[in-house]
Amino acid sequence: SSVLSDGDSSAGADDTNTGNTAADDTNARNTAADDMGTGNAAADDTNTGNTAAIEVDDVENDVGDDVIVDAAVEKEGNLDPVDERIRLYQYDPVEVGHIRYVEISLGRYVQLKTIAVKPPAFEISNFLTPEECERIKELALDAGLLTSLTVGKNLLYSGIDETKVIYNATEWKQKFAECDNNTDKILDFTEVLHCLPGLQEGELVPPAILDTLYVQLKLDLDSDGLIDAKELWLIHLENKTIEIEEWLSRWRGGELPKVPRRGRHRISEQAWIEWENSTDPTIMAIRDRVTALTKLDRNIVFSSESLQVVRYYPGGHYHAHYDSQRIKKNKPCIHSTRGLDLEGSDRLCRYITILYYLQNVEGGGETAFPLAEFENVSIEYRKNLKSDYDYTDLKHNCYKNLNVKPEFGKAIMWYNYYIDEATGWMSSRNTHSLHGGCEVTEGTKWIANNWITVDDVYERQMELHARRFQPTEDNKKAESENETGVDENDRTEEDDIPNEAEDEGIDKGEKESNNDNINDLTNDNAISTDETHESTPSTDKTESDDLPKGHTEF
Ligand SMILES: O=C(O)CCC(=O)C(=O)O
Ligand SMILES: [Fe+2]
């Protein structure tokens, strides 16, 4: 897939940018506040020669004073008639602990606290109200939460000659339905306890152990952490029953099979919530607030990806990864992961990640940044580091560096890219932005990812705005027709949407070591797709008597 082949000449380019542009504290700061929430192209131009992102901050010495804010102040003479380009705003992190106040809606200010300079990362308590958190969860449940999938499931299935097996759909649907309590056509860890041969009724097998079982006995062919009808059928067809029983009795006897160290790249479920066209009052309010918070052009914020809600149960985690991909020539930004071309003509382009914590977590579940504030993030250095400990393994190495505790309503925001000072537009990916979700040990973790997508080619971004926001009647009609079509297709066909660009291990020079890791993992080919972790935004599954070739649909 595109992601797998990403280790090309642009690899390592990130490293050359360490410490420059936005993260540069030497940039002079003005005394007046920037304008906010208004596509403040010209406003930044007064910051001569600086990154567009340098925030003008008049409160840094007044931390704690309720009334002091970096509210909007119109600056005079800041309109440069020659350069009408929008510049991408990026806050200057100043230093860890730095506090500023930002007006996110009329008269409502939030505190933006710097938690890292590299990458520029900020924490905002109470960005969402408890009601808003609940509403987002509700919308996610309505949309249906599905487990993240991995790219390559079709490859995994392709080894099976379906013409040689007789599949009695009716019989299997019935058998499957007996286990599939919530009729979502997929067996989660609880349901599988009633269905998988060899498992005893009422027996408590932790998800992590089931996960290991799936991996080691190759039960979960699409590596989504769940058993679907076809997988269940193949378990019986290939007489894996005895193998499973043996495996479990070894586990019961305390003779634990080798548990993969890293385990699966990601164990969580997710759902997508409409963003751009949402008419839900909560989402609309958040959209406006995010525009104010990010100080980005409204069109940029609005044309960004849908909100991704993620739920983790105990044992769930998300190893360190980048949310976005390196900039590559002729690879346009994909503003909606729904249409992602896995063959690689499009690129994830998440300039900003805003992550909302929708509830407290009783144990674990921090968001970790294994490379935050590192002076050196060169490939060489990281390789060395990895031989010391696998910093991408957030099941085992969560607490080595910066990590953020989930707290109801809190948001964290960070930049995945630098800004080019000359153009005021996106520059290379920030290597420090590597992050992930530590293992949840107790309780349920609910978060939402709000990715602000920006095309690295300015003109392409402007074309998008023109298409989306000033459409002619014809355009409008064409777009809406087209979108419906795409959704329909995606829901029943290949719906593998990379939710992050690539695992840290994919970085050039590290692929081998990542493969080493994979070999550790019992050579299971489901794991070899670990490099591209995908998600599925839709719950719609096609009901059909025949299993579609090469798909997990039932
Ligand atoms: O769960 C977390 O804290 C991080 C999640 C994340 O990085 C993602 O979903 O891309
Ligand atoms: Fe992420």
Side-chain angles (χ1 to χ4, degrees):
S1 80
S2 61
V3 181
L4 287 171
S5 60
D6 204 36
D8 70 0
S9 58
S10 69
D14 298 348
D15 300 326
T16 58
N17 281 295
T18 313
N20 69 6
T21 57
D24 195 341
D25 292 340
T26 60
N27 288 315
R29 261 166 259 132
N30 289 345
T31 49
D34 270 4
D35 64 337
M36 318 175 27
T38 54
N40 48 356
D44 289 316
D45 294 341
T46 50
N47 295 328
T48 41
N50 282 350
T51 310
I54 302 311
E55 197 229 5
V56 183
D57 194 340
D58 59 353
V59 294
E60 50 187 320
N61 299 318
D62 293 295
V63 172
D65 188 332
D66 279 341
V67 291
I68 294 178
V69 295
D70 63 343
V73 175
E74 279 288 334
K75 280 179 283 178
E76 281 180 33
N78 59 2
L79 290 169
D80 183 347
V82 182
D83 182 7
E84 290 180 350
R85 281 172 59 114
I86 296 172
R87 297 174 73 91
L88 284 180
Y89 194 87
Q90 188 164 124
Y91 281 97
D92 177 2
V94 187
E95 62 183 5
V96 172
H98 179 82
I99 287 177
R100 49 164 66 83
Y101 293 85
V102 181
E103 185 178 24
I104 47 156
S105 57
L106 204 64
R108 181 175 164 201
Y109 298 93
V110 290
Q111 189 190 70
L112 208 66
K113 184 172 160 194
T114 300
I115 54 171
V117 172
K118 301 172 184 178
F122 309 87
E123 183 178 274
I124 310 134
S125 294
N126 303 313
F127 187 78
L128 299 181
T129 64
E131 294 74 33
E132 286 169 339
C133 291
E134 288 310 313
R135 178 63 186 151
I136 293 173
K137 284 193 256 177
E138 190 178 80
L139 288 169
L141 289 168
D142 285 352
L145 285 138
L146 279 188
T147 297
S148 313
L149 300 180
T150 50
V151 162
K153 61 180 179 177
N154 295 336
L155 290 177
L156 294 173
Y157 274 124
S158 64
I160 300 159
D161 186 350
E162 293 184 35
T163 58
K164 294 225 174 85
V165 288
I166 301 155
Y167 176 75
N168 184 333
T170 315
E171 184 192 327
W172 273 94
K173 270 186 177 176
Q174 207 175 343
K175 206 170 173 65
F176 190 82
E178 284 167 18
C179 310
D180 184 21
N181 294 333
N182 61 359
T183 66
D184 65 352
K185 308 264 187 300
I186 214 132
L187 300 183
D188 59 30
F189 285 129
T190 323
E191 289 165 342
V192 98
L193 294 177
H194 304 286
C195 220
L196 210 58
L199 281 176
Q200 293 162 7
E201 183 80 33
E203 182 176 33
L204 198 71
V205 184
I209 297 298
L210 280 178
D211 211 57
T212 310
L213 171 75
Y214 292 177
V215 168
Q216 297 200 337
L217 300 189
K218 296 185 181 142
L219 310 182
D220 174 24
L221 295 169
D222 58 5
S223 184
D224 68 349
L226 301 170
I227 301 295
D228 61 26
K230 186 165 182 177
E231 286 161 343
L232 189 66
W233 163 56
L234 285 168
I235 285 168
H236 287 263
L237 187 82
E238 295 175 359
N239 287 327
K240 294 219 165 167
T241 314
I242 295 164
E243 275 181 72
I244 295 171
E245 276 167 1
E246 278 172 6
W247 195 98
L248 284 167
S249 74
R250 270 159 59 212
W251 172 71
R252 287 189 198 103
E255 183 206 331
L256 260 175
K258 187 172 167 252
V259 176
R261 182 145 177 77
R262 286 184 99 246
R264 278 197 3 250
H265 188 68
R266 180 180 199 187
I267 305 178
S268 63
E269 298 165 301
Q270 63 196 45
W272 296 87
I273 298 179
E274 175 59 34
W275 177 253
E276 179 183 341
N277 298 310
S278 181
T279 51
D280 182 272
T282 298
I283 303 298
M284 287 166 81
I286 295 171
R287 248 176 7 202
D288 288 341
R289 226 179 287 157
V290 165
T291 309
L293 172 76
T294 57
K295 306 190 179 194
L296 290 172
D297 185 285
R298 191 181 168 82
N299 289 346
I300 291 178
V301 172
F302 276 57
S303 59
S304 291
E305 272 181 67
S306 298
L307 213 56
Q308 188 197 56
V309 179
V310 186
R311 178 172 65 187
Y312 303 80
Y313 288 121
H317 66 258
Y318 193 172
H319 286 318
H321 61 275
Y322 291 105
D323 281 351
S324 201
Q325 289 170 292
R326 292 189 196 91
I327 288 172
K328 279 216 187 143
K329 227 177 153 203
N330 302 327
K331 278 211 176 182
C333 172
I334 180 88
H335 294 273
S336 159
T337 41
R338 279 182 184 177
L340 190 69
D341 174 358
L342 295 175
E343 291 314 309
S345 64
D346 291 329
R347 193 180 63 82
L348 292 171
C349 47
R350 294 156 171 171
Y351 172 54
I352 300 180
T353 301
I354 307 173
L355 189 155
Y356 308 113
Y357 297 102
L358 305 176
Q359 70 176 47
N360 295 334
V361 181
E362 277 94 60
E366 294 85 353
T367 304
F369 295 80
L371 300 177
E373 307 300 62
F374 275 35
E375 279 307 316
N376 190 344
V377 285
S378 68
I379 291 170
E380 192 75 48
Y381 185 85
R382 282 180 282 151
K383 227 175 174 171
N384 262 331
L385 185 66
K386 222 169 189 175
S387 64
D388 190 13
Y389 69 97
D390 182 357
Y391 58 89
T392 66
D393 179 346
L394 296 182
K395 188 174 162 70
H396 300 91
N397 296 320
C398 172
Y399 303 105
K400 299 262 188 197
N401 205 32
L402 173 67
N403 59 78
V404 181
K405 194 176 153 65
E407 272 167 13
F408 212 142
K410 182 164 83 180
I412 53 174
M413 169 173 94
W414 70 87
Y415 295 96
N416 295 308
Y417 293 86
Y418 294 101
I419 290 287
D420 182 312
E421 290 187 28
T423 61
W425 206 248
M426 246 154 78
S427 161
S428 53
R429 191 177 68 188
N430 189 329
T431 305
H432 299 277
S433 67
L434 186 81
H435 67 280
C438 305
E439 187 176 40
V440 173
T441 53
E442 208 186 328
T444 308
K445 175 180 174 186
W446 281 88
I447 59 157
N449 285 304
N450 194 174
W451 286 301
I452 306 302
T453 54
V454 180
D455 201 308
D456 60 293
V457 175
Y458 181 86
E459 290 71 23
R460 276 200 305 246
Q461 181 72 29
M462 293 309 118
E463 280 163 21
L464 173 84
H465 296 177
R467 260 199 325 276
R468 297 252 180 114
F469 303 113
Q470 294 120 38
T472 63
E473 279 311 304
D474 280 357
N475 264 348
K476 226 187 220 163
K477 199 163 161 258
E479 266 216 357
S480 74
E481 279 168 5
N482 192 21
E483 271 189 6
T484 321
V486 167
D487 280 0
E488 292 285 316
N489 276 341
D490 280 357
R491 275 157 203 270
T492 54
E493 290 288 315
E494 186 68 45
D495 208 358
D496 282 336
I497 310 303
N499 147 292
E500 81 280 15
E502 58 243 68
D503 182 14
E504 169 66 0
I506 305 301
D507 278 4
K508 197 180 176 191
E510 295 204 1
K511 201 158 180 193
E512 284 76 24
S513 60
N514 196 47
N515 283 340
D516 287 343
N517 239 330
I518 289 159
N519 290 337
D520 276 354
L521 302 176
T522 68
N523 292 324
D524 187 274
N525 58 354
I527 293 295
S528 70
T529 58
D530 207 25
E531 294 169 351
T532 47
H533 296 276
E534 319 308 326
S535 53
T536 217
S538 160
T539 52
D540 292 0
K541 299 258 175 194
T542 325
E543 281 284 341
S544 108
D545 276 343
D546 275 313
L547 286 162
K549 262 202 169 50
H551 291 278
T552 51
E553 313 299 339
F554 172 58

